[in-house]
Structure formats: structure tokens, C-alpha cells
Amino acid sequence: MISQSLVFVGHNFLSGIQSLGSGTLFILCALYNIVKPPFRFARIIKEVEFIGVKSFTIIFVTSLFTGMVLALQGYHTLSKFGSESLLGSAVALSIIRELGPVLCALMVSGRAGSAVTAEIGIMKITDQIPALEMMAVDPIEYIVSPKVLAFLISLPLLTAFFDLIGIFGGYLVGVKLLGVNEGAYFGEMLSATTFDDVFGGVVKSLAFGLIIGWISTFIGYTAKSTTEGVSSATTNTVVLASVAILITDYILTSILF
Amino acid sequence: MIKIENLSNRYGSIITANNVSCEFECSEVTVILGGSGSGKSTLLKQMAGLARPNSGRILFEGKEITCLSKKELYEVRKSMGMLFQGAALFNSLNVYDNLAFPLREHTKLSEKVIQTIIKMKLEMVGLRGSEHLMPSQLSGGMTKRVGLARAIIMDPKIVFYDEPTSGLDPISAGVIDKLILDLNRKLGVTSVVVSHDIESAFKIADKVIILFYGNIIASGTPDEIKSSPDAKICQFINGSPDGPIPFSHTDKDFMVDMRSQWK
């Protein structure tokens, strides 16, 4: 019994280490192919459209309501101390530093990450990946690299959009609904927010873009060639990416701020 | 053209090749026959360098496929074509772009020339005028024919066919058989066909290899195979359930198995 569970633990540990190793080689290969010609602009634009542009609506809605709820919560807490005028900086800082990059990455991993995994998994099941190999085209260079690059391009842009709409949502609730002074809302925001805050947010969003790109493509690429394999791969992508995003967020926050 | 030496391979407990040695001659049609799970598709993938065998050598024009670097392998692959079982067309591209894909990747031909080549290949498979269709709009037979057109678009020296006629109606199957023969007889394309369609195999093959659980049990011209007295081969060709090749997955007697359940 004990030996059985030891075998189980050991086997899982070894296979975990093994897939971490092959995953690292995989993403290094993909990143190398991003900087190496041929550059596939058409494919990159298509991927950015799918990952970035088509995520606009969902990011718009989440960011608007995040900003609104932040203002609502912040107002009630701040008004206890009579410092409602700080609402603008509270909303802006929490969104720019934390909520913007993190929520944006979580939404994108749920919407686009899962789709990327499913797409690559299905290409594998239907022999499209071996077909690329047979046509002497490297599947990592043709399929994976443009997707990873598209995540890297889209995430910072989507995060910036999230920040903007989030702050606007806070403005709607704070200023228009709860009556915080408009000048104070934006004035406090400007004086409290520094370049480092914005820069930290951008660094985070880039890191999250890499994480989603890596996890979604690698899991799709190594999915079992069955229907079940692809469906569990899509689930794994969302779960793993979300966990990885939150852990990385903590690490980056402790380094950056 | 391709020479396999002492090739052995297994997936877990399943043996797909057991010390297999054989040769595929230039400008010949070789058909590998075998039941499901006999290791023939794996063998085909290994010949194309898509999978690595556990041991043994595969020589393509004297070069060992299993030892080539990625770059060398891709260079060799430019002279290979493969028709996959499900044709493996890219479903995000239409027929034209699917066919144009290898040409755009590896040549600097102008779009006009590419258009001409595609028209010629589609005419060969009888699908001229279907350039704008998406793979999802094609029937099974059409999909395979487009897959074949794509496999030969770069005028390869050798084409691998993975069950080209399975799941097709008799006319589509006949068309595919005729195409394989035409390519071979008119253009001298070496063909390796994996199949379990005996009738079509005897029609197109110069040489037939019968694979049985990783072992070659017969190899020769269709006539030699047909007149073979070997009981295994007879059973396979006639498709009879009784014979030296067991139909059942297990050796256990059925009645004993049932009785033990009720004890």
C-alpha cells in the first residue's frame, strides 16, 4: 500500500518535471521563432484579431463594472474618514497596479486561451500538425509562435483599455452617482499615480501574456489525440493559466512595487 | 528507394514492428496490407520521419531518416508527399489556399503560376472549379481527392498513402486507385500505400506486403500472394473468421469465462 502510493507520487513527480522541461524547451523554441525570419505578418494580425480585438467586448464589460464596484466600495469606506476626495486615486491605483492586468489576463485566458488550446488540439487530432511537418513547415514556427506573439501584443493593449474603462466606471459611480467632486477625483488620481505604477502594470500584463500563450499552446500541442484529451486540455489551460497568473502576480508585485 | 532494416517498435505492450526488414523500389506501387492495429500506419509514419522507431534503420535514398537533423529532414520531405487518412486539410483555408500552401512556403512562384499549377492538379483529381470551397463543404471522397492533389502539388518523388480508399463509395475509391496508378505509370512516382482494402490492393500493387502484429508474413507480387498456400495469407485474403489468425481478442474460452462469472 505504502509502496504503491510512493510509486504514484514518484511517477507524478517525474512526469511533472518532464513536462516542465519539455514545456520550457517548447516556449524557448517558439520565442526563438518569433525573432527569426520568416515573419508571418498576416498570421500574426489574424491572431491579434482573434485574441485581442474579439476580447474587447468582454474586457469592456468587466472593466466597467470593476471600476464601478471599486468606487462604490471605496466611497463607503473613505466616507467614514471623511476622505471621499481620495476615491480617484484609490480606484486608479488598484486598477492600474492589480486589477487591470490580473482580471484582464483571467478573462483572456478563459476566452482566448481555451480556444487556442482547443484549436491546436483539434489540428493534432485531425493530422493537420503532421501534415505541416510533411510539407516541411515547422508547426511551432507556423502555428505556435504567431499565437504567443499575439498574446504578448494583445495583453498590454487590452490592459490599457481595461484601466481606462475601469477609471471611467469609477468616475460614473463616484462622481455622477455619489457626488464626489469631479476635480478631486481626477486631481488626486494624477498626483497619486506615478510612472512606476503604470510601468509595473505593463510588465505584469506582458508576463501574463507570455504565461497564457505558453500554457495554452503547450497544452494544446501535447493534448492526447482523443476527443476527451482535447476537452480536458481546454479545462487544464484555463485552470493552470489562472493559477499561474495569480501566483506570478504575487511574485511580480513583491519585486516591482 | 526506401530500405527498412531490422526495425522494431512497440507502444507499451503493443508491438507494432518486430524486426521488420523490407525494401520499397523506385517507381513501384507497394501496398502494405494488414488488419487494424497491425502496425502498418505506424510503419508509414516512421518511413516519413514523423515518428521514431525504437530500433532499426530506415534508409531513404541511402540517407538514414532517423538520424537526420530537422533541417535535413525538412529538405528530404520536400520530395515526399503524404495523403493522410482524413486528408488533414487545413479547415481554416479553402481548397485553393490549401493547395497553394506548400507552393507559397517553398517556392517563389508568382500567383499566376501557382494558380495554373493548382488548376492542373485539381483537373487531375477531377475537382477543377472547387477552388473556393471550404473543407467543411466537401464530401469524404472530395476531401481525399483534394488531399491527394495537395500531396502531389510539389511533384514529389514518393507519395505515402494512409488508407486512401477506406470509407469511400466504390466510385470514389476507384477514382483514387486510378489516380495512384496514373501518378505511378505516367510520372514514375514511387508509391507506398497502407490499406486493408484487398481488392484495390491487388488492382494497383506491383508488390504486396502483409503485416500481421508487427511481423511481415508475406511479401511478393499480387499473383504470388494470391496463389500462396499459407493458411494465414489465405485467411486474410478471403476474410474468413476461422483460421490461424484469431478473431477474438482473448485466448480464454468463452464458456469458461461466462461460467466463472456465475460461480
Side-chain angles (χ1 to χ4, degrees), chain A residues 1 13 27 47 55 62 69 98 120 159 161 183 226 230 239:
Chain A
M1 190 60 204
F13 181 73
I27 190 68
E47 295 298 339
S55 301
T62 17
V69 83
E98 283 301 327
I120 297 180
T159 304
F161 181 66
T226 58
V230 175
V239 174

Side-chain angles (χ1 to χ4, degrees), chain A residues 40 128 133 135-136 138 142, chain B residues 70 77 91 101 105-106:
Chain A
R40 302 183 178 277
Q128 291 178 52
E133 290 253 0
M135 288 184 254
D138 184 359
Y142 183 75
Chain B
K70 201 162 142 186
R77 288 236 182 91
N91 23 31
F101 184 82
E105 283 295 322
H106 299 302

Side-chain angles (χ1 to χ4, degrees), chain B residues 12-24:
Chain B
S13 61
I14 305 162
I15 297 169
T16 65
N18 184 16
N19 210 15
V20 168
S21 296
C22 54
E23 233 175 295
F24 299 86

